[in-house]
Amino acid sequence: MSLYQRQAKDAARRLIGAIIVRKFGTRILRGRIVETEAYLGPIDLASHASKGRTKRTEVMFASPGHAYVYLIYGMYDMFNIVVGAVGDAHAVLIRAAEPLDGWTENLSGPGKLARAFRVTRADNATNLCTSDSLYLVKGPRKRPRVLTTPRIGIDYALHWKDELLRFVDADSKAVSKIR
DNA sequence: ATGTCGATTTAC
DNA sequence: TAAATCGACATC
């Protein structure tokens, strides 16, 4: 079973430790994921999918393994991965990573991470299972110790703001700071 | 056609 | 504490 064919909660937890691979031109960028958030589809008031099926959310209702990239605050792209079964509209936001291969870059925060990996709306709907320039690979066998917390920046989502749907690598210093 | 507001970051 | 900056969505 693919990492992407799981409910967002499960996928988000398992994505901690996975490695993002990004290629453009002759460069290869890699980073180890240390922070994610799960968005549970139409019922989740913090998810864009709760607005229903629109032009923007269309890709979330499609098959898992695709990238959902959107613009926030007029200036930052957010990199998400569609997970679950077709129609679930579950997604996982990639919030922070540790740069690998001697790459020195601050990847702590979803806006900074997407910018550093050059992930933009042009990458929306990219199939991460078939793309050769943006995809994930398994991390080290040793699975990280994962902690859960409420999600960041969704105070408008009523009781959903308290759900423990943010996952962080307990032993990483690259986890984003809250506010 | 227009107003509100955001899954953030950075500067003051 | 607040500005930057713009598109999605709701409403008129």
Side-chain angles (χ1 to χ4, degrees), chain A residues 100-165:
Chain A
L100 298 175
D101 312 319
W103 182 28
T104 57
E105 186 75 47
N106 182 352
L107 306 177
S108 304
K112 287 186 283 189
L113 182 147
R115 188 178 58 195
F117 276 102
R118 313 289 202 279
V119 172
T120 70
R121 282 164 291 167
D123 298 296
N124 186 52
T126 291
N127 186 338
L128 303 176
C129 298
T130 59
S131 170
D132 58 356
S133 60
L134 180 62
Y135 55 93
L136 303 194
V137 296
K138 278 189 175 169
R141 335 196 181 320
K142 184 181 177 185
R143 284 221 271 209
R145 203 159 57 86
V146 178
L147 301 180
T148 60
T149 79
R151 294 171 292 181
I152 307 301
I154 54 151
D155 288 351
Y156 59 86
L158 303 183
H159 68 278
W160 285 95
K161 75 175 176 12
D162 302 316
E163 293 283 323
L164 300 177
L165 295 174

Side-chain angles (χ1 to χ4, degrees), chain A residues 2 15 38 49-51 54 58 65 85 110 114-115 121-122 130 148 163:
Chain A
S2 159
L15 280 168
S50 67
K51 298 293 183 186
T54 67
E58 184 64 26
R115 188 178 58 195
R121 282 164 291 167
T130 59
T148 60
E163 293 283 323

